Amino acid sequence: QEQPGVVPRRWFAGKDHAHFMKMYESDFSRKRGLFSKHDLDEVHEEYLRDRELRDRRLEEEKWRVVFSLDQILADEKYRKIRLAAGDRALYESMFKMEPRKYISRPKFLTTLRLVYGFELANLNSVSNNDMLDKLNK
């Protein structure tokens, strides 16, 4: 059952693809023509402002988390863990677990548990809830 405005996903090859792209571009041009240049420029500026604000917030959050993690690592139990610049440093361990720009929360917690012995997400013992609360912030 098709819904209005929802296009089912299809695969096109060769001549069908060329026809689809021509129709798609025509439809896009028609829809773009419904808006004035001023409206499009205004929406684009709003998008850029929102993106800049989001990037600034992410950067602030990143540093807040790094400083929080640094305070956690100041504990005598974790004092030997380095944040970066070493084969067993936290940054390198995270990159080995998830070789991307960002690491998912489950992989982050798993790395802390397996590599560094944090009492997190244990299957056969009680987790350290205070540490989990700190890491969940």
Side-chain angles (χ1 to χ4, degrees):
Q1 183 178 23
E2 289 191 25
Q3 298 174 356
V6 176
V7 179
R9 189 174 289 194
R10 296 184 183 115
W11 292 97
F12 296 104
K15 193 168 98 173
D16 290 336
H17 179 262
H19 174 71
F20 171 77
M21 288 307 295
K22 183 177 177 183
M23 296 303 292
Y24 178 80
E25 289 171 8
S26 171
D27 185 47
F28 178 77
S29 296
R30 184 181 54 78
K31 287 180 180 176
R32 185 175 51 192
L34 297 174
F35 301 95
S36 71
K37 178 159 176 35
H38 173 72
D39 290 343
L40 292 174
D41 289 343
E42 199 172 280
V43 168
H44 185 250
E45 287 297 322
E46 183 180 342
Y47 163 76
L48 292 176
R49 281 192 305 272
D50 289 348
R51 188 173 74 177
E52 182 181 338
L53 182 61
R54 185 197 69 217
D55 290 347
R56 194 175 321 129
R57 285 180 180 160
L58 281 173
E59 186 71 16
E60 289 171 2
E61 177 68 9
K62 176 181 75 174
W63 286 109
R64 188 189 66 74
V65 169
V66 167
F67 289 130
S68 176
L69 185 59
D70 189 48
Q71 289 175 343
I72 290 170
L73 295 179
D75 187 328
E76 186 64 38
K77 185 176 180 180
Y78 307 113
R79 190 173 298 267
K80 293 182 180 180
I81 299 173
R82 293 171 47 179
L83 284 178
D87 285 341
R88 290 196 33 90
L90 186 60
Y91 175 82
E92 283 75 10
S93 298
M94 295 296 167
F95 193 77
K96 287 176 187 172
M97 282 291 280
E98 181 104 0
R100 298 182 182 160
K101 185 174 181 178
Y102 299 106
I103 188 167
S104 66
R105 181 183 174 279
K107 290 221 180 196
F108 176 74
L109 294 177
T110 300
T111 301
L112 290 177
R113 181 173 57 86
L114 294 176
V115 177
Y116 299 108
F118 280 62
E119 298 292 325
L120 308 170
N122 292 328
L123 299 176
N124 54 2
S125 65
V126 177
S127 296
N128 182 341
N129 288 331
D130 291 336
M131 185 63 70
L132 272 174
D133 288 343
K134 288 179 185 177
L135 293 172
N136 282 329
K137 287 183 180 178

